[in-house]
Amino acid sequence: MTDQSVTSEVKEETKEERKSGGSIFDVFRYREIKEKDIEDFIEELRYQLLESDVSFEVTEKILEDLKENIIGKKVKRSDDLERIVKDSLKKSITEIITKNNAINVLEEIKKSPKPYIIIFFGINGVGKTTTIAKFAYMLKKNGLSCIISASDTFRAAAQEQLEVHSRNLEIPLIKGRYGGDPASVAFDAIRAAKSRGIDVVLIDTAGRMHTDTDLVNELKRVVNIAKPNLKILVLDSLGGNDALEQAKYFENNVGFDLVILTKVDADVKGGVILSLAYELNKPVGYLGIGQAYDDLIPFNAEWFIQRLFS
């Protein structure tokens, strides 16, 4: 059989496989990969990443890494190329996620002077109040005592919601009058923690829109008075790129150390995790995966990668 007839048979075989619903990678069989060969594939992958709420900058970085890894390679089978592509994507994403590993909060608390002070930021609707309750439950489950400061003195029912949670969890709560000074509530909670020998102070804050200048000034004042060991930003995973914009605003105006991403159980890919790590160098420490008190889990890179491409 001549070389020409073999080539013809290979091309015909590839054509028939595509007709029969073969893998997207089958188009690359028996050839050296050139940039023009992967243009359509790259565009499809770009669409998938952007649809998963990965920012444009991060998407382009991942795709450039991918092109560097596969252009010029010779593959004999479609599964060889698929393996190369998956390995490249996993490597790029892992590098982005793990370059700023989240601190082990429980270990930091245990080895730090008491009380360890944590302040929570986040706009209304992201699940901040519930997240604080989950965090308090996690601390209690790990043998750490805590007290909650209801320093959102503006939103209707904010203190009442925390009061319900603190009663359910049997955790003390320090409240102030509505319209009062949120920093003074935080100060009272810290003083109470010191006098009672409590390990951790959890400070709630007002969550009006992140572009509210008065809110930002208020948060700065609470931070200056409370002098927290850890500043946590709570973001809604359903917020997509808006969550990234919130993070940028809070970082530029108040600063934060760690992200808790909520509502991850709502069948979202969570691409904002990549954007936070790449554009802001901020790690995601925990994920909210439900409404129960124990539905707060540490972030896991392997779990995220599988979810992103599922």
Side-chain angles (χ1 to χ4, degrees), residues 14 17-18 23-31 33 37-38 41 78 81:
T14 303
E17 285 179 350
R18 289 201 300 272
S23 167
I24 183 177
F25 300 99
D26 286 346
V27 70
F28 304 123
R29 296 181 70 186
Y30 305 107
R31 65 169 70 172
I33 307 305
D37 295 325
I38 61 173
F41 174 72
S78 62
L81 180 63

Side-chain angles (χ1 to χ4, degrees), residues 248-278:
K248 289 178 179 178
Y249 191 86
F250 276 102
E251 173 63 8
N252 291 335
N253 290 279
V254 188
F256 65 93
D257 306 302
L258 190 73
V259 170
I260 293 180
L261 200 61
T262 65
K263 307 176 189 178
V264 178
D265 53 311
D267 195 31
V268 293
K269 300 294 186 180
V272 68
I273 294 172
L274 275 176
S275 304
L276 288 166
Y278 184 74

